[in-house]
Amino acid sequence: MIKAVRGMHDLLGDTASQWQKVESHVRSLLEGFGYTEIRTPVLEHIEVFTQAVGEGTDIVEKQMYTVADRNSAEGAKPETLVLRPEATSSVVRAVLENQLHRAPHPHRFFYILPMFRYERPQKGRLRQFHQIGAELMGDSSPEADAESIVLLDAVFRSFGLTDFEVCINSVGSSACRPQYKEKLKAYFQPHLAALCVDCQKRFERATMRILDCKVPGCRALAEKAPRMVDHLDPESTLHFQTVQKRLSQAGVSFVLDPSIVRGLDYYSRTAFEFTSSLLGAQSALGGGGRYDELTARFGEDPYPAVGWALGLERLVMALEAKELLKVPTRKPRFFFAPMGDKAFEELYALALRLKRAGIWVEMSHEQGKKVKWLMKQADRSGAAHTLILGEDELASGQALLKNMATGEQASIPWQTIEEDLKRRTSEHA
Ligand code: HAM
């Protein structure tokens, strides 16, 4: 049997309804904060991510799904496209391409999109997963960082979810990070042999990533390492202090966590992660930060921005763990039970008219069925009422409407049946 690709899932039935509920709920919250939707293509040129996310990152080195573009010109090297592993780089590409950075600022964009990363699948970690993201662009103030964090906090709390921690850090800017990296290298150098194999590789190019390694030996060393927050330039220090002040004023509790360095290279200054013990090993519900220097990676003028993305699968998992995601099962309003050919013709046509008017009617297309079979189907459908029409009813001009909860039956005139069923529907809407 052909199965779905490993780490990529079908979304069915009740789960699809849960997702719809979560998406529409978050969408309205984001719109209330002034965000408008952006949808970028699934495929991007590889340079969007190699340049923005960074060559030395896991995402770019190990996790990208690449596609050779078959439409490249005769004899030319085929172009490499990538299934987006994250959307911030795509949004920035779209903003620059559409010259939005030259229009009056700020811009607030949100997206609800699938992402693709070739990672080892496990609970909460997929190869196709979905993010809800929010990017606030064209605003360099610490107030923008705080607003972005307050928004993510509000998203989780709006579902009644409180089991999470807001961890923040500053990763400095290009003005102070190089000196800090040297300090960090000098600190880890004598302990190189004690680091895990991955961190030994990170040492040269991605020294700061050692700080968020989960391997106990690395973690113990990282805890005593020099902290970025103690090596910030004065502007970055003031920026970070103001972010914290604004968060406190807004009543958002947070912890300072020097291990938050993020797995993407484009961040500067504020970086944050929301973690939850409800999720197991993959504990990040969402994360983000400021990325003022990202446009420069595309060879453009600086364009300040801050944002985050949350993992939709992880949010749903956390909400389910706390039983905060009750979606009532949708049931049909009516089940139609025709007995005889003429009744089938009549009820089939009536069902279509009601469906066009937005009323959910169920009816089996198998003809010539006995009343017992039809009533079993009616029960199984969960419909509130069953409309029974047979030869006798057609002759008397009265159809039978059975209330499935009470068993009561009422005769209703066939001539005005459509208006009658519509009226009953709107009365119980
Ligand atoms: P990220 O930390 O790579 O950031 O991903 C954000 C969130 O997506 C994670 O916290 C997690 O909930 C979810 N996630 C990541 N990888 C997976 C996976 N393999 N399976 C399931 N869920 C996953 C970004 O992607 C940045 N673009 C966020 C951002 C927006 N920064 C600024 N603006």
Side-chain angles (χ1 to χ4, degrees):
M1 192 205 294
I2 302 178
K3 294 193 170 164
V5 176
R6 191 160 123 83
M8 304 195 181
H9 294 315
D10 302 308
L11 200 60
L12 301 165
D14 285 353
T15 318
S17 309
Q18 286 183 328
W19 278 47
Q20 271 174 17
K21 183 176 169 181
V22 172
E23 286 175 19
S24 69
H25 182 89
V26 178
R27 189 180 282 271
S28 66
L29 197 75
L30 288 164
E31 284 169 354
F33 270 71
Y35 284 74
T36 54
E37 187 168 13
I38 182 167
R39 298 188 196 191
T40 59
V42 173
L43 287 173
E44 295 277 358
H45 294 289
I46 189 167
E47 293 76 17
V48 170
F49 304 108
T50 50
Q51 289 180 20
V53 176
E55 297 271 8
T57 59
D58 283 355
I59 291 182
V60 165
E61 269 192 359
K62 304 180 197 158
Q63 298 173 355
M64 287 198 303
Y65 279 91
T66 53
V67 180
D69 194 350
R70 65 168 79 221
N71 287 328
S72 48
E74 186 84 15
K77 211 168 124 243
E79 243 194 297
T80 305
L81 307 178
V82 174
L83 290 167
R84 78 175 150 243
E86 65 104 37
T88 308
S89 314
S90 310
V91 172
V92 171
R93 195 266 311 134
V95 163
L96 295 174
E97 187 172 339
N98 292 287
Q99 302 275 315
L100 297 180
H101 58 307
R102 308 216 189 281
H105 307 160
H107 296 295
R108 288 178 172 82
F109 292 115
F110 78 87
Y111 47 84
I112 305 179
L113 295 170
M115 310 288 154
F116 304 84
R117 293 185 194 174
Y118 189 81
E119 294 194 78
R120 198 153 42 81
Q122 56 171 253
K123 187 171 168 239
R125 191 162 72 191
L126 300 157
R127 289 183 175 173
Q128 177 178 331
F129 61 98
H130 298 75
Q131 284 185 347
I132 302 182
E135 314 288 359
L136 167 43
M137 313 180 86
D139 186 338
S140 60
S141 70
E143 283 71 26
D145 307 33
E147 186 199 290
S148 183
I149 295 170
V150 168
L151 171 57
L152 186 52
D153 181 78
V155 166
F156 296 133
R157 285 185 194 280
S158 68
F159 288 99
L161 191 67
T162 52
D163 305 63
F164 62 86
E165 205 167 48
V166 182
C167 307
I168 65 169
N169 191 20
S170 175
V171 293
S173 67
S174 51
C176 55
R177 209 178 306 125
Q179 294 90 302
Y180 169 67
K181 268 192 184 165
E182 286 312 311
K183 276 225 158 77
L184 206 55
K185 270 179 144 175
Y187 168 79
F188 281 119
Q189 179 82 59
H191 307 288
L192 257 183
L195 294 174
C196 73
V197 182
D198 282 340
C199 283
Q200 287 178 3
K201 285 191 207 136
R202 287 173 187 141
F203 177 74
E204 274 303 331
R205 276 211 288 172
T207 328
M208 283 171 76
R209 289 295 314 277
I210 301 175
L211 297 175
D212 80 346
C213 180
K214 304 285 182 283
V215 175
C218 303
R219 192 179 252 192
L221 281 169
E223 269 166 22
K224 299 200 187 80
R227 304 184 320 162
M228 183 75 238
V229 282
D230 300 325
H231 296 81
L232 296 174
D233 56 284
E235 291 80 19
S236 297
T237 302
L238 181 61
H239 186 99
F240 194 42
Q241 282 169 350
T242 312
V243 173
Q244 294 174 57
K245 185 173 91 184
R246 296 295 184 217
L247 287 177
S248 300
Q249 285 170 341
V252 171
S253 347
F254 56 87
V255 289
L256 294 179
D257 184 346
S259 77
I260 303 287
V261 294
R262 311 283 295 135
L264 309 100
D265 274 358
Y266 51 61
Y267 292 108
S268 55
R269 296 195 167 160
T270 317
F272 53 89
E273 254 161 40
F274 283 53
T275 56
S276 175
S277 55
L278 298 170
L279 296 175
Q282 300 304 313
S283 61
L285 267 174
R290 181 161 277 289
Y291 48 96
D292 294 349
E293 297 166 11
L294 202 165
T295 48
R297 290 170 167 260
F298 289 149
E300 298 283 338
D301 294 339
Y303 185 61
V306 60
W308 50 255
L310 66 84
L312 200 38
E313 286 82 359
R314 294 188 191 176
L315 172 57
V316 169
M317 211 194 284
L319 295 177
E320 275 194 322
K322 297 301 283 184
E323 297 187 3
L324 292 169
L325 197 52
K326 294 247 162 54
V327 180
T329 315
R330 285 186 63 241
K331 302 250 169 82
R333 178 73 59 184
F334 301 107
F335 185 87
F336 281 4
M339 283 172 299
D341 295 348
K342 177 87 174 73
F344 183 90
E345 298 289 324
E346 294 286 351
L347 286 188
Y348 178 72
L350 176 62
L352 286 184
R353 289 202 297 279
L354 291 175
K355 285 182 194 191
R356 281 193 187 124
I359 299 170
W360 184 5
V361 178
E362 278 297 326
M363 171 179 169
S364 167
H365 292 160
E366 288 189 52
Q367 297 189 40
K369 291 291 181 186
K370 298 253 158 26
V371 69
K372 200 168 158 202
W373 186 90
L374 287 165
M375 292 319 287
K376 210 165 163 187
Q377 297 292 315
D379 255 344
R380 204 175 282 166
S381 78
H385 290 89
T386 296
L387 185 70
I388 302 159
L389 190 72
E391 302 291 322
D392 294 350
E393 286 77 18
L394 278 170
S396 67
Q398 299 279 324
L400 271 184
L401 191 67
K402 181 173 176 185
N403 182 322
M404 299 303 281
T406 62
E408 275 170 51
Q409 298 200 15
S411 289
I412 44 176
W414 177 248
Q415 243 189 343
T416 51
I417 188 82
E418 187 169 338
E419 295 72 50
D420 193 299
L421 297 186
K422 281 181 179 166
R423 183 180 44 75
R424 283 168 197 266
T425 303
S426 60
E427 276 170 6
H428 291 95

